[in-house]
Amino acid sequence: MLDIKFIRQNTELVRKKMLERGQEMDMSPFLNLDTRRRDILQDVEKLRNDRNTVSKDIGEKKKKKEDASEQIARMGEVSARIKSLDDELKKVEEELNAMIMVIPNIPHESVEYGTSSEDNPVIRVWGEKPRFSFAPKPHWDIGEDLKILDFERGAKITGARFTLYMGLGAMLERAIINFMLDLHIFDHGYTEVLAPFMVNRESMTATGQLPKFEADLFRVDQVDYFLIPTAEVPVTNIHRDEILSEKDLPIYYVSYSPCFRAEAGSYGKDTRGLIRQHQFNKVEMVKFSRPETSYDELEKLTANAEEVLQRLNIPYRTVSLCTADLGFSSAKTYDVEAWLPGQDAYREISSCSNFEDFQSRRAAIRFRREETGKLDFVHTLNGSGLAAGRTVVAVLENYQQADGSVVIPEALRLYMKGIDRIPAIG
RNA sequence: GGAGAGAUGGCUGAGUGGUCGAAAGCGAUCGCCUGCUAAGCGAUUGUACGCCGUAAAGGUGUACCGCGGGUUCAAAUCCCGCUCUCUCCGCCA
């Protein structure tokens, strides 16, 4: 969430920035409530002060066995007024809070203005696209032909957008996950985390999924918990309501988790294959940083994600999301898009974002500055490193062979018991 | 699932209606002292929000003793509900 004081003092700027995101906002209800809140607060605090003073006086009088009934009667009335003002204040604050919690983050000044993903500037392009002597197949055909992906049975077991991996397909996904974890742990200095896959409402609110995007989540029926849509949620919440030491920053975490997304409103999109699933595996990198260095950290984070594809020798490009495409909580996001020859397109495989203090303000994650002793909000960042299912897609499509088999990238063979190929059947 | 105990500041821990934002100890910071270290002495030591005010500061008010309600002129303290932690039993990977 944005700082309420910041909105108050920069109303026009906030309105303009929201417009750049494509969201028109009338700021006057906010300002009216904010003023109302401060007015009530002043009244009620004055009354409380009065009550505190007089109550002390009553106490002393009683001790001296003097009569205080007049004051007691008067304070009874004061208390009643405090109570009614408190009720009103609570209502105003709830309304104000409801408003502020659904205002998205302000895009960083380096984010380009745009109206759709078409406007995302391409920052980098890496790798040579493979050439085929045949028409490259999309991964759903490859997976079914090799009997490693079973979409029909996945749908039978659960429903649409759930997939069953079999044999070397299952092993490939597992190998990819382990390869990525090891890379980030041993080469990039991240600490591995294995966190709960269900979280409570507070955690979802802290990272920004709630209250606005409940429809995108799966909620557990018996308790008010949610299946995580990304490990970002439990991992960022590790330090919720904590004060970190400046010397401990930056903190790097990497975490494997399955991710559960309702994919509300995406009917008809990517209905075939592994691209858009209700459940998929992902390795997520999460950082807590000092504000001064968070944009350097974002560059490093993105480089860490890109390195996975480099080691797998899969072509990709990196784009910077324009104002219209930027996620709710993010101030700046790079998407890494892998080349998928079977679909003749680049597809998102990682999303790396700097949330600045948007999440840490919601989550109350602060650090104490050594120089001044003052508290400040940390900046939080995260990025996929990478989405495992989509990485399987990229391997299958880029490494497919004329005979229908798929070669295992060298970097993964250590994790595949040395197996170098998923053989064609028959 | 059943029974019981508990939750107080950075930590330990006192506090059963007013003098409690909270004793004491530890820790930390600053200063003094000391040949060095240790010890000793003194001071300081939370956060949020509002208001006044400044270049920075600072001042002031309110709230906060797990969370939410209630009683009362007045709640860390009494009452109700909830959450979490611990112990025992049951169940379980």
Side-chain angles (χ1 to χ4, degrees), chain A residues 119 188 278 416:
Chain A
D119 297 327
H188 300 150
H278 285 310
M416 292 282 290

Side-chain angles (χ1 to χ4, degrees), chain A residues 62-76:
Chain A
K62 287 215 156 180
K63 216 171 249 174
K64 291 189 238 161
K65 307 274 187 208
E66 291 177 35
D67 176 52
S69 55
E70 186 268 332
Q71 284 173 313
I72 288 176
R74 194 161 68 81
M75 285 308 105

Side-chain angles (χ1 to χ4, degrees), chain A residues 161-163 165 173 177 195-198 204 209 216-218 226-235 255-263 274-285 349 383-390:
Chain A
R161 299 185 190 275
F162 287 88
T163 300
Y165 290 67
E173 174 118 350
I177 291 164
F197 300 154
M198 291 184 214
M204 281 296 186
Q209 281 76 18
D216 296 337
L217 301 169
F218 287 109
F226 297 86
L227 300 183
I228 57 169
T230 157
E232 158 196 353
V233 179
V235 175
S255 184
Y256 155 77
S257 86
C259 302
F260 302 91
R261 299 192 182 175
E263 296 292 355
L274 282 179
I275 292 292
R276 195 175 301 273
Q277 299 278 290
H278 285 310
Q279 175 188 322
F280 61 94
N281 295 300
K282 183 160 59 63
V283 168
E284 183 77 3
M285 302 174 280
I349 200 164
S384 356
L386 313 165
R390 290 187 180 183

Side-chain angles (χ1 to χ4, degrees), chain A residues 88-301:
Chain A
E88 204 183 333
L89 181 65
K90 201 173 156 187
K91 254 171 55 194
V92 168
E93 286 188 335
E94 271 169 15
E95 252 180 89
L96 195 59
N97 195 252
M99 256 181 219
I100 207 168
M101 290 307 263
V102 296
I103 299 176
N105 202 355
I106 293 175
H108 186 254
E109 56 185 13
S110 66
V111 173
E112 283 199 27
Y113 174 78
T115 54
S116 80
S117 58
E118 301 290 310
D119 297 327
N120 296 340
V122 176
I123 305 294
R124 275 182 292 280
V125 180
W126 186 93
E128 292 262 330
K129 293 179 185 172
R131 289 191 198 162
F132 299 97
S133 57
F134 56 97
K137 295 190 282 187
H139 69 277
W140 51 84
D141 286 339
I142 303 169
E144 281 178 342
D145 291 347
L146 297 179
K147 306 254 188 246
I148 56 173
L149 296 178
D150 192 331
F151 299 104
E152 273 188 36
R153 285 189 174 118
K156 175 175 71 180
I157 295 166
T158 308
R161 299 185 190 275
F162 287 88
T163 300
L164 178 68
Y165 290 67
M166 297 291 288
L168 290 178
M171 191 179 189
L172 177 60
E173 174 118 350
R174 180 160 57 87
I176 283 169
I177 291 164
N178 283 327
F179 160 69
M180 296 192 294
L181 280 171
D182 282 355
L183 176 66
H184 298 313
I185 295 163
F186 294 104
D187 291 19
H188 300 150
Y190 290 75
T191 301
E192 186 174 3
V193 173
L194 188 58
F197 300 154
M198 291 184 214
V199 301
N200 57 31
R201 207 167 264 278
E202 290 71 43
S203 293
M204 281 296 186
T205 306
T207 37
Q209 281 76 18
L210 292 179
K212 204 173 175 184
F213 305 105
E214 183 155 353
D216 296 337
L217 301 169
F218 287 109
R219 195 171 66 86
V220 177
D221 221 20
Q222 302 94 316
V223 279
D224 197 29
Y225 295 161
F226 297 86
L227 300 183
I228 57 169
T230 157
E232 158 196 353
V233 179
V235 175
T236 304
N237 275 282
I238 289 174
H239 295 300
R240 173 152 56 88
D241 296 320
E242 289 186 10
I243 294 169
L244 305 171
S245 298
E246 188 172 9
K247 62 174 163 28
D248 292 337
L249 300 176
I251 295 171
Y252 290 11
Y253 292 131
V254 64
S255 184
Y256 155 77
S257 86
C259 302
F260 302 91
R261 299 192 182 175
E263 296 292 355
S266 66
Y267 307 106
K269 273 189 207 163
D270 304 312
T271 46
R272 300 197 70 182
L274 282 179
I275 292 292
R276 195 175 301 273
Q277 299 278 290
H278 285 310
Q279 175 188 322
F280 61 94
N281 295 300
K282 183 160 59 63
V283 168
E284 183 77 3
M285 302 174 280
V286 176
K287 290 186 176 186
F288 300 83
S289 142
R290 291 166 54 237
E292 291 79 1
T293 60
S294 66
Y295 279 92
D296 295 337
E297 294 295 346
L298 177 62
E299 296 301 322
K300 285 196 238 171
L301 181 74

Side-chain angles (χ1 to χ4, degrees), chain A residues 338-355:
Chain A
W339 172 247
L340 301 185
Q343 294 160 63
D344 195 33
Y346 285 103
R347 293 304 302 260
E348 177 190 341
I349 200 164
S350 170
S351 194
C352 302
S353 303
N354 185 359
F355 303 93

